[in-house]
C-alpha cells in the first residue's frame, strides 16, 4: 500500500485500527542469492538498494533480535556531512543527498529535519581547525559556514559564552545537517525492501558459516541452515564476533557509547549543538526531550550499558555550556555497542574469505551513513567491485598505511 | 563498575584509565625485517581478538596510586574476575613475573 | 642577572576567607583550616631496597614507612602511604623537621626523593559533619570501620588527585581528615569543600605566616 493523504484519510474512518502490517514475517527459505546478516539500518538499506538499483530480489536480512534493536534504534539521530578527509567527504555527502530524498524514495516519513548542526569552538587553534574543515567541505561542494560568537549568540542565546575555560568564540555550522527519526529509518527501509520481495527474518541469529572449498555457501542460524550465494555482514558492534565465526580477526574493537534523554520541555534548541571540547552534544526531539550524549565509556564492551563516571562527565559538560539544563530531569539513559575501527573510519570490502563481505567500523557515526552505506555495500555485493564512493574504505588500508584518521589519534580506537 | 586495585582496594572506575587488551606482544624483530616483520607489526598494531567474554586488559590507576594493573574482566557483564599489578608496578620485589 | 628571591605565598590567599560561613549560629558542623607552611618530601623506594629504606626512616623520622593505606607518625613528621613502595614525609613544622639535605643523605642509594613542599596545599577538614560534606565529593567509604584513624588513600576528588588521610579525632571526638592537593588545583577544591560544608555551618581558619 502506498502511504498518502488518501490512505491516511481512509484509515481515519476506522479510527486507525485497520492499518495493515508494513512488512511480512516470512519463514526462511532454504537458499538466497544474498544473505545479509544484521537488521539494523545498514543491513536493511543494503537489501533495499540491492533490490532497487541492482535488480537482485532473492535476498534475506537475518536479524537476531528485532530490526532496529541494535545501534539503529539507540543512536542520537544526528545526520551531517562535515568530514574533512578524502574518502569521507564525498561519501558522507552522498549520504546527505540520499537523506534529502529518502522520504520520497521510500514513501515513508523518516522525519528528516535539516535544522543545522553547530560545532562550537573556544580557542584560536580550534577555530583554525574548523576553518580548515569548513574549507575542505566547501571545495567539495558541501555547505559550511564559520560563525563568530555574535552570530552564534543570535541562534543559541542560552549558552554560557563566558565560561573561563571554554569561552565560546564561534562555531562551524552546516545548515543541511540535522536529525532524522532513527526507528522510522529502519521501518522505512524494511517496508520498501519487503515490497521488492526481500525476506526480513527476525529472531534469527547467525551462529556459524557453511563453506565448500573455502567459499561461503550458507549460514547456520537459530532457525536452521540457510544457503547463500553471497553473505554480507552488517552487524555493527558484533562485527568481530561474527567475523570470528569465519576465522577472521578485524581491525575493530567494540566499545559502549551512552545516550541520554531528558523530560520534555518547550522548544528550546533549534538544531544540533556540539561542545566537543567538553565531551557533550545535544539536540531536542520533536516530543520535547533533550537528546544528548558525549564520549565513549572507553573500555571494550558488548554489554549495551555504560557506567556512572561517563554519565557524570556528560552531565558536567552539559552544565558547563548550558547551565540551565541543571533544572531539567533526566528521563532515560542507555548504551549501544560501537564497532570502533583503528582509524575511526568504516570498512566496506570483500573479506579474505570467498563469498563473505564486510560492512563495519562505523564507530559512533554510522547513522548518518545509513543510506550511502546501503548503496555502496549493495554495489560491492552485486558487482564484486567497490562503488566509486567506497574505494577508500578497504580492509587492507591498515596494512598499506592508507588510514583515514579524521581525529589523528592513531590505532587507539577508544580515542576516535 | 568498581575496580579492586591490589594496592588501594575497591575504587570507582572513574579513577582508572583503560589501555586495552593485554595479550598482544610487541614483535621482537629487526627494523628492516622485510614484509614478514611488517605482517607481524600489522597484526600487533591493528588486529584485535575483541573477545566477547573474559579478557585480560591493562588499566591504569591514574586517579589513585598510579600503578599499571592487569584485570581479567568480562566484556559481556563487566564483572571483574581478578586485578593484579602489571609487571614493574611496585618496588618490593627485585624482579616481577614477566619481567626480563 | 640580579638575584631574585621568590617569596612563597599560600595558593589559597584569595579563596580562604577566615570566619564563620553558612547555616546556623550554633557550633559549626565542619571546620576547615589550611596550614600554608609545610615540609613535604616524596620518598620512592628503589627496586629491592625496602629494608634499607625502613631502617633509614626509623633512624631519621622515628617511624617505619607506613603500611599500605596507612600513615605512621614520627616525632615531628607524619609518613603517609602514597602508593606501592612510596610515601610522603609530611610536617606542619618545617623548621623542626629533618631538612631535605638530611633526608637525601639518609636515603642515598635506597630511595629517590622529590621535594614537594611548595607543590602541594594542605587542607584539614574536621567536625561532626565533616564526613557528610566529604561524602558529596569523594567515592571513598569513610565509615569508621573502613577508614579508621591512621588510614590513608591516594584518590581523586572532583577529578583532582589528592593524598588523603585521617588523623586522631579532635577533643570532642569528631573525625579529622587531611587532604594534600596540587597547589594549582587547590583554589577550586577549596571552594568545593566550603560549598559542600555550608549547609552544616563552617568555621574557616588559616594557620601560618605564609598566608
Ligand atoms: C548512543 C549512540 C549514539 C549514536 N549517535 C549517532 C548519531 O548521532 N549520528 C550517527 O550518525 N551515528 C550515531 N551512532 C552510531 C550509529 O547508531 C551506528 O553506527 C549505526 O546504527 C550502525 O549501523 P546499523 O544501524 O546497521 O547497526 P545496528 O542497528 O547495530 O545493526 C546491527 C544488527 O546486527 C544484529 N546482529 C548482530 N549479530 C548478529 C548475528 N549473529 N545474527 C543476526 N543478527 C545479528 C544486531 O542485533 C543488530 O540489530 C550512535 C550510536 C549509539 C550507540
Ligand atoms: Zn591503586
Amino acid at each position: 500500500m502506498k502511504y498518502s493523504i488518501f490512505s491516511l484519510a481512509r484509515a481515519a474512518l476506522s479510527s486507525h485500527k485497520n492499518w495493515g502490517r508494513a512488512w511480512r514475517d516470512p519463514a526462511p527459505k532454504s537458499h538466497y542469492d544474498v544473505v545479509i546478516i544484521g537488521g539494523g539500518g545498514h543491513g536493511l538499506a543494503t537489501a533495499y538498494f540491492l533490490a532497487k538499483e541492482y535488480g537482485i530480489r532473492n535476498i534475506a536480512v537475518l536479524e537476531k533480535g528485532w530490526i532496529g534493536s541494535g545501534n539503529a534504534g539507540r543512536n542520537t539521530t544526528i545526520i551531517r556531512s562535515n568530514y574533512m578527509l578524502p574518502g569521507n567527504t564525498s561519501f558522507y555527502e552522498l549520504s546527505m543527498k540520499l537523506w534529502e530524498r529518502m522520504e520520497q524514495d521510500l514513501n515513508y516519513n523518516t522525519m528528516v529535519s535539516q535544522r543545522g548542526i553547530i560545532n562550537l569552538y573556544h580557542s584560536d587553534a580550534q577555530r583554525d581547525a574548523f576553518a580548515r574543515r569548513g574549507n575542505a567541505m566547501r571545495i567539495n561542494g558541501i555547505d559550511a559556514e564559520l560563525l563568530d560568537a555574535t552570530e552564534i549568540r543570535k541562534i543559541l542565546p542560552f549558552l554560557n559564552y563566558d565560561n573561563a575555560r571554554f569561552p565560546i568564540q564561534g562555531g562551524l555550522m552546516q545548515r543541511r545537517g540535522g536529525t532524522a527519526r532513527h526507528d522510522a529509518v529502519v521501518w522505512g527501509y524494511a517496508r520498501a525492501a519487503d515490497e521488492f520481495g526481500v525476506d526480513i527474518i527476525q529472531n534469527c541469529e547467525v551462529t556459524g558459516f557453511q563453506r565448500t572449498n573455502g567459499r561461503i555457501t550458507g549460514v547456520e542460524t537459530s532457525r536452521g541452515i540457510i544457503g547463500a550465494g553471497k553473505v554480507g555482514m552488517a552487524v555493527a558492534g558484533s562485527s568481530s564476533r561474527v567475523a570470528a565465526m569465519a576465522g577472521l580477526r578485524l581491525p575493530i574493537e567494540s566499545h559502549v557509547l551512552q545516550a541520554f534523554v531528558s523530560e520534555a520541555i518547550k522548544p528550546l534548541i533549534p538544531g544540533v549543538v556540539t561542545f566537543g571540547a567538553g565531551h557533550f552534544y545535544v539536540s531536542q526531539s520533536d516530543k520535547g526531550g533533550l537528546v544528548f550524549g558525549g564520549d565513549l565509556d572507553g573500555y571494550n564492551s558488548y554489554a549495551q550499558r555504560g557506567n556512572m563516571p561517563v554519565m557524570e562527565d556528560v552531565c558536567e559538560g552539559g552544565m558547563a555550556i548550558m547551565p540551565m539544563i541543571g533544572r531539567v530531569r533526566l528521563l532515560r539513559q542507555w548504551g549501544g555497542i560501537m564497532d570502533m575501527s583503528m582509524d575511526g573510519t568504516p570498512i566496506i570490502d570483500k573479506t579474505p574469505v570467498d563469498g563473505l563481505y564486510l560492512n563495519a567500523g562505523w564507530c559512533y557515526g554510522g547513522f548518518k551513513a545509513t543510506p550511502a552505506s546501503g548503496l555502496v555495500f549493495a554495489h560491492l555485493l552485486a558487482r564484486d567491485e567497490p562503488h566509486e564512493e567506497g574505494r577508500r574504505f578497504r580492509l587492507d588500508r591498515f596494512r598499506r598505511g592508507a588510514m583515514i584518521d579524521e581525529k589523528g589519534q592513531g590505532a587507539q580506537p577508544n580515542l576516535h | 563498575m568498581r575496580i579492586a586495585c591490589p594496592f588501594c582496594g575497591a575504587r570507582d572506575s572513574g579513577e582508572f584509565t583503560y589501555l586495552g587488551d593485554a595479550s598482544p606482544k610487541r614483535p621482537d624483530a629487526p627494523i628492516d625485517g622485510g614484509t614478514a616483520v611488517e605482517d607481524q607489526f600489522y597484526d600487533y598494531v591493528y588486529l584485535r581478538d575483541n573477545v566477547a567474554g573474559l579478557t585480560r586488559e591493562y588499566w591504569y590507576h591514574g586517579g589513585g596510586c598510579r600503578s599499571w594493573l592487569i584485570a581479567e574482566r568480562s566484556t559481556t557483564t563487566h564483572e571483574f574476575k581478578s586485578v593484579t599489578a602489571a609487571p614493574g608496578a611496585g618496588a618490593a620485589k627485585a624482579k616481577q613475573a614477566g619481567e626480563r | 642577572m640580579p638575584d631574585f628571591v621568590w617569596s612563597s605565598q599560600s595558593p589559597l590567599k584569595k579563596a580562604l576567607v577566615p570566619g564563620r560561613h553558612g547555616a546556623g549560629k550554633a557550633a559549626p558542623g565542619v571546620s576547615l583550616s589550611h596550614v600554608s607552611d609545610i615540609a613535604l618530601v616524596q620518598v620512592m623506594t628503589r627496586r629491592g631496597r625496602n629494608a634499607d629504606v625502613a631502617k633509614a626512616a626509623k633512624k631519621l623520622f622515628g617511624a617505619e614507612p607506613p603500611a599500605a593505606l596507612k600513615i605512621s607518625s614520627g616525632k615531628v613528621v607524619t609518613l603517609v602511604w602514597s602508593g606501592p613502595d612510596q610515601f610522603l614525609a609530611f610536617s606542619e613544622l618545617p623548621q623542626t623537621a629533618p631538612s631535605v639535605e638530611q633526608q637525601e643523605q639518609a636515603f642515598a642509594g635506597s630511595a629517590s626523593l622529590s621535594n614537594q613542599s611548595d607543590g602541594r596545599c594542605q587542607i584539614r577538614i574536621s567536625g561532626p559533619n565533616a564526613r557528610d560534606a566529604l561524602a558529596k565529593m569523594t567515592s571513598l567509604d569513610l565509615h569508621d570501620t573502613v577508614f579508621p584513624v591512621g588510614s590513608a588513600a591516594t584518590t581523586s576528588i572532583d577529578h583532582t588527585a589528592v593524598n588523603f588521610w585521617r588523623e586522631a579525632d579532635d577533643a570532642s571526638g569528631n573525625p579529622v581528615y587531611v587532604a594534600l592537593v596540587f597547589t594549582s588545583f587547590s583554589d577550586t577544591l577549596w571552594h568545593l569543600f566550603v560549598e559542600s560544608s555550608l549547609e552544616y555551618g563552617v568555621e574557616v581558619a588559616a594557620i601560618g605566616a605564609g598566608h
Side-chain angles (χ1 to χ4, degrees):
Chain A
M1 186 188 33
K2 192 168 158 51
Y3 292 154
S4 67
I5 183 77
F6 305 108
S7 67
L8 190 65
R10 213 176 310 125
L13 292 176
S14 57
S15 307
H16 295 288
K17 282 184 189 132
N18 292 331
W19 285 104
R21 59 182 305 144
W23 59 88
R24 297 162 298 126
D25 181 23
K29 293 192 275 188
S30 62
H31 187 273
Y32 293 92
D33 294 342
V34 177
V35 162
I36 313 262
I37 313 172
H42 292 220
L44 292 163
T46 304
Y48 164 78
F49 283 109
L50 268 173
K52 179 168 182 266
E53 301 290 339
Y54 300 95
I56 299 175
R57 298 287 160 93
N58 186 22
I59 303 169
V61 177
L62 310 182
E63 166 55 47
K64 73 173 173 190
W66 63 93
I67 59 169
S69 58
N71 294 339
R74 292 166 187 266
N75 63 68
T76 42
T77 78
I78 298 166
I79 60 174
R80 57 186 169 91
S81 57
N82 54 1
Y83 284 75
M84 188 172 72
L85 297 181
N88 281 338
T89 328
S90 54
F91 172 84
Y92 285 103
E93 178 58 12
L94 167 67
S95 208
M96 184 56 86
K97 294 215 168 80
L98 292 169
W99 282 109
E100 286 170 336
R101 40 176 268 215
M102 177 184 284
E103 293 172 351
Q104 289 69 32
D105 283 354
L106 299 182
N107 177 227
Y108 203 89
N109 181 7
T110 52
M111 296 165 70
V112 175
S113 169
Q114 293 180 290
R115 288 175 285 169
I117 176 167
I118 294 174
N119 310 126
L120 297 172
Y121 61 78
H122 314 272
S123 65
D124 293 354
Q126 223 187 347
R127 180 203 56 218
D128 292 350
F130 280 169
R132 180 178 173 220
R133 177 172 297 269
N135 286 335
M137 291 162 66
R138 291 173 73 125
I139 53 176
N140 283 286
I142 305 165
D143 71 305
E145 289 164 58
L146 199 65
L147 305 182
D148 64 19
T150 321
E151 291 162 306
I152 298 282
R153 234 179 238 275
K154 283 187 206 140
I155 309 168
L156 307 166
F158 48 82
L159 296 181
N160 179 7
Y161 285 82
D162 306 316
N163 182 305
R165 177 71 182 81
F166 296 110
I168 297 171
Q169 287 191 8
L172 181 65
M173 165 79 133
Q174 187 185 20
R175 291 194 195 270
R176 285 162 66 240
T179 60
R181 171 84 198 278
H182 51 3
D183 299 315
V185 173
V186 171
W187 301 331
Y189 274 123
R191 174 172 166 273
D194 177 88
E195 269 171 15
F196 284 117
V198 173
D199 281 357
I200 295 162
I201 301 165
Q202 306 188 68
N203 299 311
C204 180
E205 178 171 3
V206 171
T207 54
F209 291 99
Q210 298 242 304
R211 292 211 229 181
T212 311
N213 298 328
R215 188 185 164 83
I216 298 277
T217 53
V219 290
E220 296 154 15
T221 79
S222 54
R223 297 179 69 173
I225 291 169
I226 301 172
K230 290 175 178 175
V231 176
M233 292 168 48
V235 292
S238 303
S239 295
S240 299
R241 289 176 96 166
V242 176
M245 296 173 195
L248 295 174
R249 291 168 80 223
L250 300 179
I252 282 177
E253 287 183 12
S254 295
H255 284 267
V256 59
L257 180 69
Q258 305 191 55
F260 307 83
V261 175
S262 79
E263 61 185 333
I265 56 174
K266 286 181 181 170
L268 169 72
I269 305 178
V272 181
V273 185
T274 79
F275 170 36
H279 318 302
F280 176 80
Y281 66 93
V282 63
S283 67
Q284 189 169 16
S285 80
D286 292 330
K287 282 196 288 184
L290 301 183
V291 181
F292 60 97
D295 275 355
L296 299 173
D297 267 45
Y299 44 83
N300 285 41
S301 176
Y302 286 94
Q304 290 194 326
R305 62 166 185 274
N307 270 290
M308 301 301 279
V310 167
M311 297 180 205
E312 184 186 11
D313 185 57
V314 170
C315 293
E316 281 172 351
M319 288 287 292
I321 205 75
M322 265 176 77
M324 85 284 213
I325 65 165
R327 309 277 298 267
V328 177
R329 275 168 298 191
L330 194 62
L331 202 63
R332 291 183 286 131
Q333 167 276 342
W334 65 88
I337 301 306
M338 324 280 41
D339 37 335
M340 300 300 299
S341 69
M342 289 290 162
D343 59 357
T345 297
I347 298 158
I348 303 178
D349 204 355
K350 297 180 192 177
T351 71
V353 177
D354 211 11
L356 183 63
Y357 300 75
L358 179 65
N359 173 316
W362 294 100
C363 303
Y364 45 75
F367 177 64
K368 71 178 94 70
T370 305
S373 165
L375 177 63
V376 169
F377 197 36
H379 184 101
L380 176 74
L381 280 160
R383 301 269 170 86
D384 264 318
E385 57 186 39
H387 185 282
E388 174 61 22
E389 292 303 343
R391 273 182 305 121
R392 288 192 164 89
F393 294 163
R394 306 299 295 269
L395 181 55
D396 67 356
R397 69 175 181 267
F398 304 95
R399 180 68 182 80
R400 287 184 287 117
M403 278 70 78
I404 309 175
D405 189 341
E406 289 266 337
K407 265 203 177 173
Q409 292 285 20
Q412 191 65 34
N414 59 348
L415 300 180
H416 280 291
Chain B
M1 221 157 68
R2 277 158 70 80
I3 303 178
C5 172
F7 301 113
C8 302
R11 292 292 178 80
D12 177 53
S13 64
E15 288 193 359
F16 300 81
T17 311
Y18 184 76
L19 179 70
D21 195 343
S23 319
K25 290 270 170 296
R26 193 175 195 281
D28 192 7
I31 291 169
D32 296 318
T35 51
V37 170
E38 281 178 25
D39 285 340
Q40 288 175 31
F41 268 100
Y42 162 65
D43 198 289
Y44 169 70
V45 176
Y46 295 109
L47 296 185
R48 295 287 183 276
D49 291 336
N50 197 16
V51 175
L54 207 60
T55 55
R56 283 177 79 247
E57 50 195 22
Y58 284 117
W59 289 83
Y60 176 60
H61 195 187
C65 68
R66 301 192 182 87
S67 297
W68 278 99
L69 308 171
I70 293 181
E72 281 184 301
R73 183 184 64 104
S74 166
T75 56
T76 51
T77 64
H78 294 171
E79 182 192 359
F80 283 81
K81 279 263 181 291
S82 72
V83 187
T84 51
K93 295 182 198 134
K95 246 186 191 180
Q96 297 207 341
E99 267 184 282
R100 283 191 223 175
Chain C
M1 207 176 101
D3 283 342
F4 186 83
V5 181
W6 294 98
S7 64
S8 70
Q9 65 175 43
S10 163
L12 300 181
K13 202 172 172 65
K14 289 207 182 93
L16 190 153
V17 182
R20 181 61 200 272
H21 305 272
K25 295 266 178 285
V30 178
S31 296
L32 278 173
S33 68
H34 159 63
V35 179
S36 54
D37 220 7
I38 59 170
L40 182 69
V41 173
Q42 168 94 55
V43 180
M44 299 166 84
T45 305
R46 295 192 183 164
R47 184 133 300 184
R49 302 296 297 272
N50 295 56
D52 303 328
V53 169
K55 222 161 90 193
K58 180 98 200 154
K59 193 161 154 220
L60 186 67
F61 302 122
E64 295 249 349
L69 305 171
K70 294 286 173 219
I71 60 173
S72 63
S73 305
K75 289 187 278 290
V76 279
V77 175
T78 303
L79 306 184
V80 183
W81 183 85
S82 65
D85 306 301
Q86 45 174 285
F87 59 87
L88 298 164
F90 170 80
S91 173
E92 292 178 7
L93 301 165
Q95 284 74 28
T96 49
S99 68
V100 177
E101 290 71 28
Q102 283 169 313
Q103 298 190 40
E104 274 170 358
Q105 274 166 19
F107 292 111
S110 64
S112 302
L113 270 55
S114 157
N115 184 357
Q116 295 292 334
S117 303
D118 295 320
R120 307 290 169 93
C121 169
Q122 179 266 17
I123 298 173
R124 179 177 273 110
I125 310 123
S126 61
N129 295 109
R131 199 191 288 159
D132 303 320
L134 282 163
K136 300 179 192 174
M137 5 174 204
T138 175
S139 60
L140 291 179
D141 184 350
L142 296 180
H143 192 274
D144 282 337
T145 55
V146 183
F147 206 82
V149 171
S151 299
T154 57
T155 185
S156 300
I157 293 181
D158 198 36
H159 309 290
T160 306
V162 297
N163 294 94
F164 189 84
W165 70 91
R166 182 169 171 185
E167 296 187 338
D169 291 348
D170 68 14
S172 340
N174 292 313
V176 180
Y177 303 98
V178 183
L180 289 182
V181 187
F182 291 116
T183 45
S184 52
F185 290 89
S186 59
D187 186 281
T188 307
L189 274 202
W190 176 264
H191 283 295
L192 186 69
F193 285 3
V194 172
E195 271 174 37
S196 303
S197 306
L198 286 178
E199 63 167 305
Y200 314 109
V202 52
E203 182 72 36
V204 170
I207 305 160
H211 190 76

